[in-house]
Amino acid sequence: MNPGMPPDVFDAFIDQLRRFVRERLVPAEKAVIEGNRVPDDILAEMRAMGLFGVTIPEAYGGAGMNVSQYIRFVDEISWAAPAFRSIITINIGMTTTALVKCGTEAQRREWLPRLAEGAVACFGLTEPDSGSDSAALKTRAVRRGDDYILNGTKRYITNAPFADLGVIMARTSPENLPKNAHVSAFLVPMKTKGVTIGSPDKKMGQEGSQIADIILEDVRVPASALLGGEEGKGFFAAMQSLDNGRLSVGAACVGYGRRILDCGLRYAMERKAFGEPIANFQLIQAMLADSKAELYAAECMMRDAAARADAGERVSLEAACFKMFASEACGRIADRVVQIHGGAGYLREYEAERFARDVRIYRIYEGTTQIQQLVIAKAMIRDFAATH
Ligand code: COS
């Protein structure tokens, strides 16, 4: 069991974070949308609060949160626009998981303190021709003496335009190998010669969170950049990191879902029709109640999955169930809140339409709902076979 931060210190941190989210981040949302980036002064405050290092072990300069605490953190920060979460969680979630679980001690010592201080990481798995089928990646890493030479293109990579470090998955064998052992992971400083970042893609929502291609042309990295110092461990590292990433997306859906429902409830209490607040009408109440029940279910899944991860269990199935349920529920909640707003729900002037655009990606990234179904069913079948 990972005890994480002392509970009283953690509670005080969450109180401080909640104030910061409401007093600084929510008022900055307009600037984030207009500038399509998190403003530098806010980023500096986030770094000064240590937000870039919350999960990094204390020995490497972080706050040492366990999974349950990390997930509560994501839930809290996700009351504000998604860009604030996504600039941090690739660092403290997927990249830290990859380094802690799969890195060598030298790699942990090299990167974790930098990440804790606010260096930005990106996670390069997806490619133009491999998304859900992540093991079909084409990016090649070829050993040349003491170095590896990387060539390929990564697509839709969150934070690529700002990143200092890329965790890049590449094949070290031209043939596919059992258990996807042809995939290796490399720690690539983004300033390395041969790394180019494409222009940020224009998206449906989540302004301020930038995604772009990473083009790798004869990028030479030392063999010490191979994660874990061993070829063939990249798929395992990616899947472990994705288990963590799925918990984080689920928690983002819970946190943002709460904000969205709060907005819907407030509108229903203020807006009058037929001479009274529309919150008095049972058909509106049904939408509010269904949303509340779904959020509560997602919160319970979140707590359970995170506690199991802290107890040392493999949580691929629980993380997939939670991510799938929470993202689908969040989509339904955002849609109902547009409906509760009526015509106003379709206008840019109100927040409801932005919420509906922002949450659409939650059902897609870190594994689509359909991929979560595959992960869940595969685990069910394996467990059945093992016990019957
Ligand atoms: N934890 C630890 N090891 C894992 C793992 C996990 N969560 N998932 C897979 N592995 C290892 C196991 O060793 C596994 O072999 P066994 O199941 O026999 O033990 C091996 O990797 C191969 O796994 P699998 O057979 O499940 O690989 P597939 O090629 O069939 O791919 C899917 C599985 C489709 C589930 C995977 O490619 C995936 O998650 N795709 C979606 C990618 C994604 O989410 N992209 C979003 C953006 S990335 S930031």
Side-chain angles (χ1 to χ4, degrees), residues 380-388:
M380 290 168 66
I381 292 164
R382 188 179 45 213
D383 291 350
F384 183 89
T387 52
H388 288 78

Side-chain angles (χ1 to χ4, degrees), residues 94 123 125-126 131-132 134-135 179-180 235-236 239-240 242-243 246 314 316 366-367 371 375 378 382:
M94 296 178 77
F123 203 83
L125 178 63
T126 302
S132 290
S134 43
K179 300 209 174 212
N180 299 324
F235 192 78
F236 176 79
M239 292 300 124
Q240 290 268 300
L242 274 173
D243 285 348
R246 288 167 186 167
R314 177 171 162 183
S316 307
E366 252 82 318
I371 287 293
V375 171
K378 192 170 179 179
R382 188 179 45 213

Side-chain angles (χ1 to χ4, degrees), residues 13-340:
F13 169 82
I14 288 290
D15 282 348
Q16 185 200 7
L17 178 68
R18 185 169 293 177
R19 279 197 302 278
F20 179 68
V21 167
R22 280 156 182 74
E23 289 165 18
R24 290 293 287 143
L25 301 191
V26 171
E29 285 178 348
K30 201 162 171 278
V32 168
I33 293 164
E34 280 165 9
N36 193 25
R37 56 179 296 139
V38 178
D40 287 340
D41 58 332
I42 300 273
L43 272 179
E45 287 177 57
M46 290 165 81
R47 288 194 168 98
M49 282 174 74
L51 303 191
F52 281 75
V54 292
T55 56
I56 293 174
E58 280 179 285
Y60 304 97
M65 281 184 190
N66 62 22
V67 179
S68 303
Q69 293 170 338
Y70 167 55
I71 290 310
R72 272 282 289 127
F73 163 80
V74 174
D75 170 6
E76 278 299 330
I77 199 164
S78 299
W79 179 270
F84 299 111
R85 175 194 80 99
S86 73
I87 190 87
I88 313 177
T89 52
I90 311 284
N91 311 270
I92 58 177
M94 296 178 77
T95 304
T96 298
T97 303
L99 279 162
V100 169
K101 292 203 168 177
C102 307
T104 63
E105 184 50 31
Q107 288 167 341
R108 286 195 275 266
R109 260 192 264 126
E110 182 180 359
W111 285 108
L112 289 174
R114 285 202 233 172
L115 291 172
E117 278 175 13
V120 174
C122 62
F123 203 83
L125 178 63
T126 302
E127 298 191 357
D129 296 323
S130 71
S132 290
D133 186 8
S134 43
L137 79 190
K138 288 187 180 148
T139 296
R140 291 287 317 270
V142 177
R143 180 103 193 205
R144 288 266 186 279
D146 288 339
D147 297 332
Y148 281 92
I149 313 292
L150 274 67
N151 278 287
T153 300
K154 296 290 168 183
R155 179 138 299 169
Y156 308 144
I157 306 302
T158 302
N159 288 350
F162 318 116
D164 304 290
L165 167 68
V167 182
I168 303 291
M169 258 50 70
R171 59 168 62 232
T172 36
S173 157
E175 271 84 53
N176 287 0
L177 299 177
K179 300 209 174 212
N180 299 324
H182 53 283
V183 184
S184 299
F186 293 86
L187 301 164
V188 180
M190 297 296 278
K191 292 220 155 55
T192 312
K193 193 163 163 270
V195 177
T196 317
I197 309 301
S199 330
D201 293 302
K202 296 200 171 84
K203 311 191 275 20
M204 177 193 266
Q206 299 220 355
E207 286 93 352
S209 162
Q210 293 197 13
I211 61 169
D213 282 6
I214 302 176
I215 301 113
L216 305 139
E217 287 169 303
D218 291 330
V219 174
R220 182 180 286 269
V221 291
S224 59
L226 174 64
L227 185 73
E230 230 184 300
E231 288 185 8
K233 300 288 176 205
F235 192 78
F236 176 79
M239 292 300 124
Q240 290 268 300
S241 301
L242 274 173
D243 285 348
N244 178 284
R246 288 167 186 167
L247 293 177
S248 169
V249 172
C253 294
V254 170
Y256 210 36
R258 268 196 250 279
R259 162 88 179 275
I260 296 168
L261 186 53
D262 179 78
C263 167
L265 177 60
R266 175 164 311 163
Y267 190 83
M269 307 276 291
E270 286 169 6
R271 170 77 184 170
K272 291 204 170 89
F274 306 102
E276 52 184 314
I278 61 171
N280 291 352
F281 300 131
Q282 289 177 337
L283 294 180
I284 298 288
Q285 289 178 358
M287 288 193 270
L288 293 170
D290 285 352
S291 300
K292 184 71 182 171
E294 288 181 353
L295 258 185
Y296 179 50
E299 280 166 19
C300 292
M301 293 171 91
M302 173 170 80
R303 272 194 284 275
D304 179 70
R308 284 172 188 271
D310 281 325
E313 281 181 42
R314 177 171 162 183
V315 293
S316 307
L317 177 140
E318 290 78 8
C321 289
F322 169 47
K323 194 269 184 187
M324 175 174 80
F325 180 80
S327 61
E328 294 285 340
C330 192
R332 287 191 292 271
I333 293 167
D335 189 64
R336 289 183 197 119
V337 168
V338 170
Q339 196 69 15
I340 289 169

